[in-house]
Amino acid sequence: MSHLFPHTAYAEDQPLAHTILTTHVFFRGFQSGAAVGLLLGSARHSLSLLRQRRNPPSLSQLYAPARLAFLPATIVRSTAVGAVVGTAVMAVALPGRMWGREEIEWQDRSWRLLENKGQQEVDAWGIIGAGVGALMGIGGRTGLVERGVWKGIVGGAGVGTMVGVAGYMVWRYGVEGGKWPDEERAKIEI
């Protein structure tokens, strides 16, 4: 998201501070809620698989409207609900945390978000994952007029953003060893 906003040399000059911080907090709420929903949905689905060993499901139980082609509907639905709840919690938490703060405090927090390379990279991976997941949520549907269509799209975006963050972690800390190209050059020059 940091690529979408202007970034100044000094925090005092940072424009759109409220927009930058609000967008960041809402996206983190979306991601956090999606992570919790994904974990709870996975646990619920695992428990239902254990129960199915005793009682096989009927055909009507196998079909659920909010689903991706490769993910069980329970996981997609719980991820969607978690993402919405996480965003709603952050919508309340942000004003509570920043109530009475001066403009420079908003600008400083926003400026630091835009200055942080790791934050920029995890935002990019998360947004790409959410976009791909949302498209898969639309594509995994049998029709957009069905009840609960938002759960397929939002759930897909939630799963996608978690996959994007996992991809970021593998790339940055697995492949790159947690180092940035500039750090390697600085060590060689010293």
Side-chain angles (χ1 to χ4, degrees):
M1 276 183 287
S2 55
H3 302 52
L4 304 173
F5 298 110
H7 182 51
T8 61
Y10 301 102
E12 306 85 43
D13 301 329
Q14 183 61 53
L16 304 173
H18 292 266
T19 304
I20 294 167
L21 191 59
T22 301
T23 304
H24 169 77
V25 169
F26 282 9
F27 189 57
R28 287 300 166 263
F30 181 87
Q31 287 181 317
S32 300
V36 170
L38 185 62
L39 290 173
L40 292 176
S42 298
R44 184 176 176 192
H45 181 69
S46 298
L47 289 173
S48 72
L49 288 178
L50 291 174
R51 287 187 199 130
Q52 283 179 6
R53 287 187 176 179
R54 292 184 216 148
N55 304 325
S58 67
L59 287 176
S60 63
Q61 291 172 330
L62 289 175
Y63 173 76
R67 58 182 251 149
L68 293 176
F70 59 91
L71 278 177
T74 305
I75 295 174
V76 176
R77 282 193 308 262
S78 63
T79 303
V81 172
V84 170
V85 169
T87 304
V89 167
M90 289 298 118
V92 173
L94 178 64
R97 176 75 173 124
M98 296 303 288
W99 190 266
R101 303 285 179 155
E102 294 183 22
E103 184 65 22
I104 188 65
E105 293 178 85
W106 286 83
Q107 289 173 319
D108 180 59
R109 283 174 169 81
S110 300
W111 185 85
R112 284 186 283 134
L113 285 171
L114 297 178
E115 190 70 16
N116 187 326
K117 282 193 263 182
Q119 188 66 57
Q120 291 175 7
E121 194 170 45
V122 77
D123 280 349
W125 281 78
I127 289 171
I128 291 168
V132 170
L135 290 174
M136 292 180 81
I138 293 170
R141 312 267 321 143
T142 58
L144 292 177
V145 294
E146 291 180 32
R147 184 175 155 209
V149 68
W150 70 270
K151 290 181 184 175
I153 297 169
V154 175
V159 171
T161 193
M162 291 295 96
V163 171
V165 170
Y168 160 75
M169 299 295 279
V170 168
W171 171 255
R172 176 57 45 210
Y173 299 105
V175 175
E176 295 290 323
K179 304 219 185 286
W180 296 90
D182 297 341
E183 292 174 7
E184 291 297 320
R185 284 190 222 124
K187 285 182 182 177
I188 293 171
E189 292 174 7
I190 294 177

